[in-house]
Amino acid sequence: PIGLALMLLTGVGPLLAWRKTSPAGLKRHFTWPSIVALVTATTCVAFGIRDVYATISFGICAFVIVTIFSEFHRGAIARGSSSNESYLRALWTLCGRNKRRYGGYIAHFGFVLIFIGFTGNAFNEMREVSLKKGDSFEISGYRIDYEGYDFHRGPMREIIQTQLGVYVGGSRLGTLFPEQHIYYKRPDQQRTTEVAVRSGLREDLYVLYEGQSQDGSAFFTVYVNPLVMWVWIGAWVLTAGMVVVIWPDKREKIRRRRLTGAPPQRFLGPELTTPDTTADQPRQQEGNAMLLAFSVAPSGTGRSDGSVHEAVAAAVEDLHHSPNWLSMLAGRLLDRDHQRRRPGDQRRSARH
């Protein structure tokens, strides 16, 4: 029941607008999905499905599928009418421009397919049989004939391989080879079973060979599990939706740059500046270096005789060639602060 409620919310959630849901909108969005869900549940009952949870599950899955495809359809129609694009082109552009939303819808569709596969557990069949060569039995519309076995002995194990013919309606579908491996060199004579599987979109057929008796009768356990393949298909669709959601979007990066603006300039050295354009990079680096050099130039240099220019030029040269210019900057700033301190402060610091 909890899973059914979650599946229903998967279909209802996209149809409810945030703080804008009206009775007319609910009627418009829920009419066709509800009709399809009701028709699906009625069809299941008509075909002989008596499991209540399975009937409800198929109805809810149909409801969610219709809501997902209706969202894609409405978006493609709106996109095509505004841009004069074809239906498929508008659908492709729609998914590309809003990856999070429509990638989420794809992931929801994958979840629905997985849920359909889980619903197939309500129709599982299992049978244990004992067959001699030439015997057959039927399960879920299949007729399985026991055609014999082969024995192989290797350096580490013995292999007993049985052969079963699978028929439906008189036509042969194929051959299954369930095996049993016996590791005879181990003290416990360990045995392992190799399952023979025939998979399809409708159901999977599993056959296990359990061993044989003294009179040559072979023991088999047969399982028929419907809709298992849809679990794997849904997992792949779910993965594809997640890839669409997390795929980088160049337009999103451009939009963020426009909203946040360019990163702030830091005048900590030519290496750390972030110029706006490539053409202005050398000029901005030179300006940053000049500001640094002026800040670390000796404060006692006179401004009238032009010696400050010589000090600035020397500082620029040092900053360009010094591998540890940040330490040099800190040291010169401390020296300048020490020179600017008043004599009274220097005497007080000496007494302390």
Side-chain angles (χ1 to χ4, degrees), residues 54-310:
T55 303
I56 296 175
S57 177
F58 285 131
I60 293 177
C61 289
F63 176 89
V64 177
I65 290 175
V66 173
T67 59
I68 292 174
F69 279 92
S70 64
E71 288 294 310
F72 279 97
H73 178 69
R74 281 196 294 266
I77 292 297
R79 172 73 187 179
S81 61
S82 61
S83 60
N84 295 325
E85 295 178 346
S86 63
Y87 185 84
L88 295 179
R89 179 65 180 177
L91 191 63
W92 177 264
T93 306
L94 192 70
C95 296
R97 289 183 176 273
N98 200 342
K99 294 184 176 67
R100 294 180 181 177
R101 179 180 179 180
Y102 292 96
Y105 289 154
I106 296 174
H108 284 181
F109 181 62
F111 182 65
V112 173
L113 296 181
I114 293 175
F115 211 84
I116 290 175
F118 291 161
T119 306
N121 290 330
F123 313 104
N124 291 347
E125 292 188 35
M126 187 271 287
R127 185 174 177 184
E128 296 179 348
V129 295
S130 174
L131 302 175
K132 291 185 178 181
K133 186 176 180 179
D135 293 344
S136 64
F137 71 99
E138 294 185 0
I139 179 174
S140 188
Y142 295 99
R143 192 185 88 241
I144 299 177
D145 295 347
Y146 179 41
E147 300 174 349
Y149 71 94
D150 292 328
F151 179 82
H152 307 280
R153 184 180 180 89
M156 299 294 296
R157 61 183 177 177
E158 296 175 347
I159 301 176
I160 303 175
Q161 183 185 70
T162 60
Q163 180 174 325
L164 300 173
V166 182
Y167 298 83
V168 172
S171 61
R172 187 183 181 96
L173 297 181
T175 306
L176 297 179
F177 299 95
E179 300 176 354
Q180 190 174 83
H181 296 179
I182 305 172
Y183 295 87
Y184 59 90
K185 286 192 174 183
R186 293 178 59 94
D188 56 355
Q189 297 286 306
Q190 180 181 355
R191 296 172 179 250
T192 61
T193 300
E194 300 296 326
V195 183
V197 181
R198 177 178 176 82
S199 298
L201 293 177
R202 179 187 174 187
E203 58 194 7
D204 286 4
L205 175 65
Y206 302 88
V207 181
L208 286 76
Y209 171 62
E210 305 288 357
Q212 61 183 7
S213 62
Q214 296 295 332
D215 61 353
S217 298
F219 302 100
F220 297 94
T221 302
V222 183
Y223 299 89
V224 178
N225 298 337
L227 306 177
V228 174
M229 182 63 69
W230 291 101
V231 176
W232 299 103
I233 296 174
W236 283 108
V237 175
L238 179 63
T239 303
M242 294 173 59
V243 171
V244 173
V245 170
I246 66 177
W247 195 263
D249 191 351
K250 294 182 179 180
R251 286 181 293 271
E252 183 68 20
K253 294 181 180 179
I254 297 174
R255 191 181 301 112
R256 289 181 179 179
R257 289 177 183 176
R258 290 176 179 176
L259 292 176
T260 60
Q265 297 284 341
R266 294 186 179 182
F267 298 106
L268 294 181
E271 299 86 348
L272 299 182
T273 56
T274 55
D276 294 335
T277 59
T278 306
D280 296 336
Q281 184 175 2
R283 186 163 48 191
Q284 290 188 3
Q285 289 182 350
E286 183 179 357
N288 293 342
M290 291 290 290
L291 289 174
L292 280 172
F294 189 79
S295 66
V296 301
S299 58
T301 307
R303 295 178 178 267
S304 58
D305 57 358
S307 60
V308 66
H309 300 290
E310 298 177 1

